[in-house]
Amino acid sequence: MSDVRTWYVYWLSRITAGLVFIALLSLGCAPSIALYSERAYDQAVTLKASSLRLMDRAVEPYNDHEQSIESLLFEMDKAYEYARGRPANELSTRQWEILRDPDRHLLGGFIRRWEEQETLSPFFISEAKEQVGHAFDTVIGLESGKIRPSEVN
Amino acid sequence: MINFSLIVEEFRNELISLSSDLRDDIKDALLQDGLDFIEGSKADLERWSNLFAAGQLSREELEWLLRSKRDLVEMEALKQKGLALARIDRYRNAVTQSALNAVFKGIS
């Protein structure tokens, strides 16, 4: 009986030590970056398509497309706020900030330029679209490179 | 004339700053991926120079595009850092799983 008890205590202590070790290992390793979000990915892909399509319209007066522009900017705001609200998601949040900032030179800056100039030249639009498209690709690329929730222990 | 070397240097500095808290091997991989990206941008810069010379882009438009390239460089650097962090997390998860497997093997 005492042999069984000794065996029991021996193995229980080893298992407990092992589980405590794993728990400490996990607790000490908070994720470095947010997990992948299907919603965030979809937002980025949809906004890329909408933005590039709207940029094509910049050969026409800004005022003729004000409603569409406001609608796009609202969707961009939603994507930014969603990114900002997720823990460990600072890098993606920063990407959205740069993309939508009217003082920078991607989508936000393009829309400001369109408003200031009234119309933009086809050559400029074509080149700016390349840059904005690549910018969205970096957002999409980062999101799709994150760990899926199903991969987490 | 666009000073491509200056753009490459600026980007390298941006990447170094962003990767300062990463391990050396991850930092090196991030820098290499980033430099490959900027080398790919050389064609854009040459095309813009030609469009400007042909009068199809104004000086102001050229300047705007150059600034957009700088912003894009920052976007790419953020992406590279994020992917490096995801790789670290995957490695950590693998280590934890291995430890779990070892414990359960010990039990059985």
Side-chain angles (χ1 to χ4, degrees):
Chain A
M1 187 67 174
S2 94
D3 283 344
V4 171
R5 194 190 178 94
T6 304
W7 177 91
Y8 176 77
V9 168
Y10 173 75
W11 280 109
L12 184 62
S13 64
R14 284 175 76 92
I15 291 164
T16 305
L19 291 174
V20 165
F21 168 71
I22 289 165
L24 286 173
L25 192 66
S26 302
L27 282 171
C29 297
S32 310
I33 188 167
L35 297 179
Y36 169 80
S37 159
E38 186 79 35
R39 178 178 167 180
Y41 180 85
D42 285 345
Q43 279 177 327
V45 167
T46 301
L47 281 168
K48 177 186 175 183
S50 302
S51 298
L52 296 182
R53 177 172 283 201
L54 186 63
M55 288 172 79
D56 278 333
R57 300 280 179 263
V59 288
E60 295 158 9
Y62 178 90
N63 291 340
D64 291 355
H65 299 280
E66 204 161 352
Q67 202 168 347
S68 299
I69 292 166
E70 284 304 312
S71 178
L72 178 70
L73 290 176
F74 180 57
E75 293 302 317
M76 290 286 289
D77 285 347
K78 283 184 347 189
Y80 165 69
E81 292 298 338
Y82 179 70
R84 203 166 73 104
R86 295 166 60 203
N89 206 39
E90 293 79 14
L91 296 174
S92 291
T93 302
R94 182 69 189 131
Q95 286 184 315
W96 283 111
E97 279 176 355
I98 295 168
L99 198 45
R100 65 197 272 275
D101 188 348
D103 291 330
R104 300 291 289 256
H105 301 79
L106 291 170
L107 183 65
F110 179 89
I111 289 173
R112 170 180 278 179
R113 187 175 176 85
W114 186 4
E115 185 178 14
E116 288 170 350
Q117 304 287 318
E118 188 65 9
T119 60
L120 299 174
S121 82
F123 289 106
F124 175 75
I125 291 168
S126 175
E127 296 301 327
K129 273 181 66 180
E130 280 280 316
Q131 302 311 299
V132 170
H134 286 315
F136 271 105
D137 287 343
T138 67
V139 176
I140 292 163
L142 174 51
E143 193 61 41
S144 65
K146 292 174 182 172
I147 297 177
R148 267 50 176 177
S150 57
E151 291 179 62
V152 175
N153 295 329
Chain B
M1 179 135 163
I2 293 172
N3 190 337
F4 189 68
S5 305
L6 193 62
I7 292 172
V8 171
E9 193 55 37
E10 210 174 302
F11 181 51
R12 181 193 285 271
N13 292 338
E14 184 83 38
L15 279 177
I16 289 170
S17 167
L18 268 178
S19 63
S20 59
D21 55 345
L22 298 176
R23 278 187 2 227
D24 283 347
D25 56 335
I26 294 171
K27 200 182 300 187
D28 290 343
L30 189 155
L31 275 171
Q32 189 53 54
D33 287 342
L35 290 172
D36 288 345
F37 163 76
I38 199 69
E39 276 300 320
S41 298
K42 203 171 175 182
D44 285 342
L45 304 182
E46 285 172 353
R47 188 173 64 255
W48 296 343
S49 295
N50 293 337
L51 286 171
F52 173 65
Q56 286 163 342
L57 282 178
S58 69
R59 185 178 191 87
E60 205 191 5
E61 287 170 337
L62 177 60
E63 282 177 4
W64 194 98
L65 288 168
L66 286 170
R67 291 199 173 99
S68 79
K69 182 60 74 178
R70 200 208 172 279
D71 289 342
L72 185 54
V73 154
E74 189 174 344
M75 296 284 282
E76 179 68 23
L78 290 165
K79 171 190 146 189
Q80 293 297 341
K81 179 169 183 178
L83 294 179
L85 291 177
R87 278 196 291 273
I88 290 171
D89 282 351
R90 281 195 174 87
Y91 173 73
R92 282 180 179 164
N93 288 346
V95 167
T96 305
Q97 188 61 49
S98 296
L100 262 172
N101 291 343
V103 165
F104 287 124
K105 242 185 198 169
I107 293 168
S108 60

